[in-house]
Amino acid sequence: MPAAPNMRRHLLKSACLAALALAATGCATHNVTFHEKTSGDAEAPLGAVMVMALAGDAAMQQAYEDRAVAQLAKKGVRAVPFHAALSSPAVLDENALRELVGKSGVDGILMAQAGSLENSQARVCSGAVVTFEGWGGLHSAYLDAWRTARRTAGSNSSAAWGRATVHLFDARDGRVVWTGRFESSREDNLRKALEGYAELTVGTLVADRAL
């Protein structure tokens, strides 16, 4: 009996994500371990996104953000890297973060927490979406990721088994629009792994029609 339309769409999406993972990897293997569009359609499509990576040090942050911005531009989405908008690496309180986002003219925030599994103390809920409530929840997610990034700063970049947890927020009200989690096999160059995550993140967002 022919596969139902929903099943065919699921199989096609799975095949597309597998192809994206292979294309983004090089020698390492990157995998999408979880992804879900978490709040239905946004009140209006997100036309501009700030990419925010909290990845242990400035160089790793810039590697992810710049690659994700470039990939989003290829998909017709205007994006700005967080590091370019931030005047100093200091942690921002909620009002300062909202002001920064507002001045950047974006309506979405792609927030990624990335690092090595050996050093990360990030909270991960396998197979379930972490719920954040409005801008207060968005800022709490930012603080959690920022603190974890500070704890892992200066760690050996060759530490293996990378992980990235990514949330797409609607900056207009702080709602989570999409969540994804990614892991990679042993990768001697963490910068390269982060760039691979960025490419896979954008590809998965597009496949899920979250942008």
Side-chain angles (χ1 to χ4, degrees):
M1 186 170 68
N6 286 342
M7 179 61 71
R8 288 198 296 270
R9 283 195 295 271
H10 174 75
L11 292 173
L12 179 59
K13 180 185 287 187
S14 298
C16 290
L17 291 177
L20 284 165
L22 288 172
T25 59
C27 295
T29 299
H30 293 58
N31 297 303
V32 184
T33 60
F34 177 80
H35 62 104
E36 183 172 290
K37 192 174 178 181
T38 54
S39 65
D41 294 328
E43 57 188 53
L46 301 178
V49 176
M50 174 175 283
V51 179
M52 178 189 298
L54 297 151
D57 62 59
M60 298 301 103
Q61 173 186 350
Q62 186 170 342
Y64 183 99
E65 290 177 1
D66 288 349
R67 184 60 63 92
V69 166
Q71 293 297 310
L72 286 165
K74 291 179 180 179
K75 304 298 182 182
V77 179
R78 185 175 73 83
V80 296
F82 184 55
H83 70 82
L86 193 63
S87 58
S88 73
V91 64
L92 302 177
D93 62 27
E94 182 179 334
N95 288 335
L97 182 60
R98 293 185 75 155
E99 182 179 359
L100 180 70
V101 171
K103 287 180 177 178
S104 299
V106 301
D107 48 23
I109 301 171
L110 187 65
M111 185 187 299
Q113 180 180 345
S116 71
L117 287 179
E118 293 171 357
N119 294 311
S120 175
Q121 298 181 41
R123 292 180 298 171
V124 175
C125 302
S126 178
V129 176
V130 179
T131 301
F132 302 104
E133 295 294 336
W135 255 96
L138 189 160
H139 186 254
S140 294
Y142 160 75
L143 286 179
D144 284 348
W146 190 88
R147 288 165 182 156
T148 298
R150 299 285 73 76
R151 285 196 296 266
T152 60
S155 62
N156 186 351
S157 63
S158 66
W161 306 107
R163 168 191 289 152
T165 301
V166 187
H167 301 290
L168 176 64
F169 292 91
D170 187 326
R172 295 165 293 196
D173 57 16
R175 290 181 301 124
V176 179
V177 175
W178 178 89
T179 295
R181 298 192 185 95
F182 310 89
E183 291 185 2
S184 72
S185 62
R186 186 168 293 273
E187 171 61 77
D188 291 336
N189 187 331
L190 185 55
R191 180 189 182 96
K192 183 177 178 182
L194 290 172
E195 290 175 342
Y197 283 142
E199 294 181 11
L200 190 54
T201 296
V202 174
T204 308
L205 276 166
V206 172
D208 286 346
R209 298 182 180 181
L211 285 172

